[in-house]
Every structure is written in C-alpha cells, then in structure tokens.
C-alpha cells in the first residue's frame, strides 16, 4: 500500500479555501439576518413559497395575522394550512393577484400575490397581507380628507365670488 502524505503547499491551499468558505458563509448569514430584520419591521405580513408551494419564508406580522406558528410549517405545503391566500394559483397561472379580500379565521385580509420569476420560470411566489381593518381605516381617512378638501373648495368658491362682487361693485357707477 502506498501512503501519500499531503505536501505543505496542499495543506496551505486547503486552509486558504476553508477560510474563504467560512468568510462567504459569514457574509451569507449577515445578509440573511439583515433581510429577516427588514421583513420583521414591515407592517404587512409576508409569506413566500418555493416553486412547489412549500413555505420557505415569512415574517412575524404574517404569523400574527394568520394566528399560527409558521416556523413549524417551514418546508411544508402552504396548501395544507393557508390555501385561501392563493399562492398555489399564482404559481400555476404566473399572474399577479392584486387586492383580493379573503376571510381567514374570521379576519378580513387584503392579499397581493405575485410569482417570483427568473429566466421565464416560476421560482416561487410571495403574498403580502394587510389586515382588512387597517385598509378600512385608511379608506375612512381618505373619505375624511376628501370631505375636508370639498369644504375648502366651497370656501374658496365663496371667497372668489365675494372678491368678484367687490371688484364688480367697485367699478359700478355710484348713483
């Protein structure tokens, strides 16, 4: 039997490659932590599936909105626990679904879903979730804002009419 001992240069090259791999792994972990932090500060819920419909990412807001621990469902088909979100439909159709209102566990949720495409192939899908109450509050705020604008528009018209009457009155002969 022949025993081959690695030379000094081979050992140094292996150590160099191991250090490079460790540095890349650290950078990947930092990138993942940054991304997860961004996802967790979002007001919207977010759920992401791979091309087969298996849950691969989510944020804390989605967990709260859906009322379930999504960590225990990572790697499992989303159709088993949240089929009404429409992610499987988006995977099949490759078409975005916008502003669909669903009722999930007695909560109205506004869902926007879109496929994740790369090289004309579906690689997954993502859904952004907004609570229906939040959307209703925003709509109410818009109605109030429109009413204030309408009131200001009426005040402006009265002011313009008054100015017009003053201008016309100033030019009229005294009699």
């Amino acid at each position: 039997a022949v025993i081959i001992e690695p030379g000094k240069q081979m050992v140094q090259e292996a150590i160099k490659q191991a250090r490079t791999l460790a540095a890349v792994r650290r950078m990947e972990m930092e990138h993942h932590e940054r991304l997860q932090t961004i996802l967790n500060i979002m007001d919207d819920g977010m759920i992401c599936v791979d091309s087969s419909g298996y849950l691969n990412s989510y944020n804390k807001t989605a967990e709260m909105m859906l009322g379930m621990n999504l960590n225990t469902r990572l790697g499992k088909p989303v159709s088993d626990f949240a089929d009404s979100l429409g992610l499987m439909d988006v995977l099949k159709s490759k078409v975005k679904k916008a502003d669909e209102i669903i009722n999930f566990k007695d909560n109205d949720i506004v869902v926007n879903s879109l496929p994740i495409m790369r090289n004309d192939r579906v690689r997954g899908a993502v859904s952004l979730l907004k609570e229906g109450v939040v959307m209703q509050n925003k709509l109410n705020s818009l109605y109030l804002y429109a009413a204030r604008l309408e009131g200001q528009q009426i005040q402006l018209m009265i002011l313009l009419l008054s100015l017009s009457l003053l201008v016309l009155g100033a030019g009229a002969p005294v009699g």
Side-chain angles (χ1 to χ4, degrees), residues 15 24 26 44 47 53-54 57 60 69 75 103 116 120 153 157 165:
I15 290 171
V24 168
R26 276 192 305 275
D44 294 347
I47 289 188
Y54 290 85
S57 188
K60 299 287 183 198
N69 180 351
N103 189 284
I116 299 169
D120 294 325
Q153 183 181 14
M157 288 173 58
L165 291 175

Side-chain angles (χ1 to χ4, degrees), residues 21-74:
L21 287 173
V24 168
R25 179 72 178 137
R26 276 192 305 275
M27 287 175 21
E28 285 178 358
M29 290 296 291
E30 288 173 10
H31 176 73
H32 174 76
E33 289 169 3
R34 276 193 301 274
L35 182 59
Q36 195 61 48
T37 299
I38 291 167
L39 293 175
N40 284 332
I41 63 170
M42 290 175 47
D43 290 334
D44 294 347
M46 186 281 309
I47 289 188
C48 188
V49 295
D50 64 16
S51 60
S52 299
Y54 290 85
L55 180 67
N56 63 13
S57 188
Y58 65 93
N59 67 1
K60 299 287 183 198
T61 307
E63 270 190 324
M64 290 186 311
M65 291 172 80
L66 299 175
M68 63 176 71
N69 180 351
L70 293 176
N71 194 49
T72 61
R73 291 174 166 86
L74 279 171

Side-chain angles (χ1 to χ4, degrees), residues 25-164:
R25 179 72 178 137
R26 276 192 305 275
M27 287 175 21
E28 285 178 358
M29 290 296 291
E30 288 173 10
H31 176 73
H32 174 76
E33 289 169 3
R34 276 193 301 274
L35 182 59
Q36 195 61 48
T37 299
I38 291 167
L39 293 175
N40 284 332
I41 63 170
M42 290 175 47
D43 290 334
D44 294 347
M46 186 281 309
I47 289 188
C48 188
V49 295
D50 64 16
S51 60
S52 299
Y54 290 85
L55 180 67
N56 63 13
S57 188
Y58 65 93
N59 67 1
K60 299 287 183 198
T61 307
E63 270 190 324
M64 290 186 311
M65 291 172 80
L66 299 175
M68 63 176 71
N69 180 351
L70 293 176
N71 194 49
T72 61
R73 291 174 166 86
L74 279 171
K76 295 184 179 163
V78 74
S79 57
D80 289 354
F81 59 90
D83 195 39
S84 61
L85 296 180
L87 283 164
M88 297 307 293
D89 295 336
V90 170
L91 284 174
K92 290 175 189 167
S93 70
K94 302 179 186 178
V95 176
K96 174 184 177 179
K97 286 187 171 187
D99 298 326
E100 290 198 2
I101 300 173
I102 64 163
N103 189 284
F104 191 88
K105 293 185 177 181
D106 295 326
N107 292 319
D108 286 333
I109 299 174
V110 180
V111 181
N112 289 289
S113 301
L114 62 143
I116 299 169
M117 305 289 292
R118 191 172 70 220
N119 298 329
D120 294 325
R121 292 185 58 210
V122 177
R123 301 298 182 162
V126 63
S127 283
L128 294 178
L129 318 172
K130 284 188 184 291
E131 287 184 305
V133 172
V134 171
M135 294 302 290
Q136 186 62 46
N137 289 341
K138 287 183 180 184
L139 185 59
N140 289 342
S141 294
L142 284 174
Y143 284 138
L144 289 172
Y145 181 68
R148 276 185 288 205
L149 284 179
E150 187 176 331
Q152 290 175 353
Q153 183 181 14
I154 291 170
Q155 288 174 348
L156 183 58
M157 288 173 58
I158 291 170
L159 179 63
L160 288 173
L161 183 58
S162 298
L163 285 173
S164 296

Side-chain angles (χ1 to χ4, degrees), residues 1-12:
V2 177
I3 299 175
I4 301 175
E5 292 187 28
K8 186 176 182 179
Q9 186 177 4
M10 285 181 70
V11 171
Q12 288 174 339

